[in-house]
Amino acid sequence: MQTEVTFTASDGTTVPGVLTVPTDVTGPGPALVMIYEAFGMTDEMRRVARDLAADGYTVLIPDLFARGPIKPICVARAMRTAQRGEGRELDDLEAARRWLAELPDVDGDRIGTIGFCLGGSFALLLARTGRYKVSAPFYSGRVDLPRSCPVVASYGGRDITTRGYPELLEARLEAMDVPHDVVTYPEAGHSFFTRTSGVMGSLVARSPLHAEYHAPSAEDAHRRIVEFFREHLG
């Protein structure tokens, strides 16, 4: 049950997205705002949403790059917002959350967030807002959390760009006494949860990120996040 949808941003702009709904919906249930990686709305992101829906979660992926004019500019702008902690992309994510919360099959008090790479940084920014019950960042470089909801975070040990961040994140969450599960998979690199195909996949796999799919780590990470979601979202 995966469909194209639209919602209205705070400035009146119509923003597209992809909504994935569990096949057996028996009433208002938990939901997730999912933020994609820098490659945007790929088949892999849709696949991840379907996997999460199979576990009982309604998943909305807002298309943060849809405003244009060209994708590289959208990516750069989103990276700037993630670094500064303010910007249009965060406004669009809040509009997406509000739209999701109003769906009849969604319990608006049981919404979490999950994000990958660039989206992982956004997932941790959303964790600070007090509007989410749980956050699941993958390979995020953010640790500046004045407050946070429960966090289940995953990193690849071969990814030199995020080295040190898992330890800093875990220390910060422990200091705030926030429930958390932070794991670094030693044999995995960046983007180990998804498959990047074609020439780009070959290039990033050879980069310092060692960005390639690693099945054992991906499978364990999926198990962990679903267990964490069930504890904190139901």
Side-chain angles (χ1 to χ4, degrees):
M1 297 290 291
Q2 196 164 65
T3 57
E4 306 286 332
V5 298
T6 60
F7 59 91
T8 303
S10 59
D11 64 357
T13 300
T14 299
V15 180
V18 171
L19 180 70
T20 310
V21 180
T23 54
D24 299 321
V25 179
T26 57
L32 299 167
V33 173
M34 180 173 149
I35 310 104
Y36 51 47
E37 54 198 5
F39 295 123
M41 191 75 78
T42 63
D43 289 341
E44 268 297 275
M45 292 291 98
R46 293 170 183 264
R47 189 267 304 170
V48 171
R50 290 194 298 271
D51 287 349
L52 291 168
D55 288 306
Y57 300 96
T58 297
V59 183
L60 173 63
I61 313 175
D63 194 350
L64 299 182
F65 299 163
R67 288 177 178 257
I70 59 174
K71 185 175 178 180
I73 292 177
C74 295
V75 174
R77 189 170 56 209
M79 288 181 173
R80 183 171 64 247
T81 295
Q83 184 178 38
R84 293 179 177 178
E86 59 181 10
R88 188 167 66 191
E89 289 76 12
L90 285 170
D91 295 338
D92 288 350
L93 286 170
E94 172 55 15
R97 185 198 65 80
R98 291 197 303 266
W99 182 87
L100 183 62
E102 292 175 358
L103 294 180
D105 292 328
V106 170
D107 182 345
D109 293 325
R110 297 163 64 198
I111 295 179
T113 181
I114 182 171
F116 304 88
C117 186
L118 170 65
S121 294
F122 278 113
L124 278 181
L125 285 170
L126 298 181
R128 311 187 309 181
T129 65
R131 302 186 183 106
Y132 291 83
K133 293 295 185 182
V134 64
S135 175
F138 278 77
Y139 1 103
S140 171
R142 295 198 70 91
V143 294
D144 50 331
L145 294 172
R147 63 174 181 169
S148 180
C149 63
V151 172
V152 51
S154 303
Y155 293 86
R158 299 178 66 210
D159 178 8
I160 67 171
T161 65
T162 58
R163 285 183 183 169
Y165 284 108
E167 294 80 6
L168 290 171
L169 176 60
E170 186 164 30
R172 180 60 185 146
L173 293 168
E174 287 181 353
M176 293 188 293
D177 196 27
V178 170
H180 62 277
D181 176 11
V182 180
V183 170
T184 299
Y185 294 96
E187 297 181 358
H190 197 82
S191 296
F192 70 82
F193 200 75
T194 53
R195 302 168 180 86
T196 304
S197 61
V199 174
M200 184 58 68
S202 299
L203 290 175
V204 294
R206 293 180 175 88
S207 74
L209 285 76
H210 296 284
E212 58 186 340
Y213 180 70
H214 189 259
S217 302
E219 292 165 4
D220 187 70
H222 180 86
R223 175 193 60 78
R224 287 175 39 248
I225 62 174
V226 170
E227 288 180 358
F228 202 83
F229 288 166
R230 285 175 177 160
E231 179 179 357
H232 297 283
L233 281 178

